[in-house]
Every structure is written in C-alpha cells, then in structure tokens.
Amino acid sequence: MGERTEYEKGDRAPNPGVYTEVGEARSFHTEIQNPKRITMEKGDIFPETSNKDRKWKKAEKARVH
C-alpha cells in the first residue's frame, strides 16, 4: 500500500513541501483557476480549501495544464 497523495482539511502533512488545491475530477476540462498554494512542514495541519470539493496535493505531483 502506498502513501496517500490527496489530503483534506485537518489532515497532517506527511512531508515538507508546497501543496496546491486540486479539483475532484482531475481532467483538463475542469482546471481550477487560481488554486491556493501553501508551504507546509511535516506535521502541519492542512487548512480549509476554497471549496468543499477540492483537496490538497503536493505541487510536483499535481497535474498542471
């Protein structure tokens, strides 16, 4: 079993890095305009996203179109 790649409000960051919001359907048709980006340290708690259908994902693993 691998490490989770998407996180919700209240989850703890597994590793330090930059995390960005991703939508529930990761398709180029539903690209998020101006997603939030945050810098986290290991163990920091993820904040609220801009909308309830979004999650946090490490920036280098998030699809960028």
Side-chain angles (χ1 to χ4, degrees):
M1 216 195 252
E3 181 180 347
R4 287 181 20 203
T5 59
E6 295 181 352
Y7 307 95
E8 297 179 2
K9 173 191 168 202
D11 289 344
R12 292 193 179 270
N15 296 303
V18 176
Y19 291 81
T20 188
E21 288 181 313
V22 293
E24 63 180 4
R26 272 153 290 301
S27 163
F28 68 91
H29 298 293
T30 58
E31 180 181 348
I32 295 175
Q33 300 298 317
N34 302 318
K36 280 188 188 176
R37 291 176 67 90
I38 56 173
T39 301
M40 306 279 288
E41 293 298 324
K42 183 176 182 174
D44 287 351
I45 297 174
F46 284 97
E48 188 85 35
T49 55
S50 298
N51 103 22
K52 67 178 180 61
D53 296 325
R54 296 183 183 173
K55 295 185 188 273
W56 293 106
K57 190 166 191 170
K58 200 154 189 186
E60 61 261 16
K61 296 186 188 255
R63 279 183 124 169
V64 178
H65 303 285

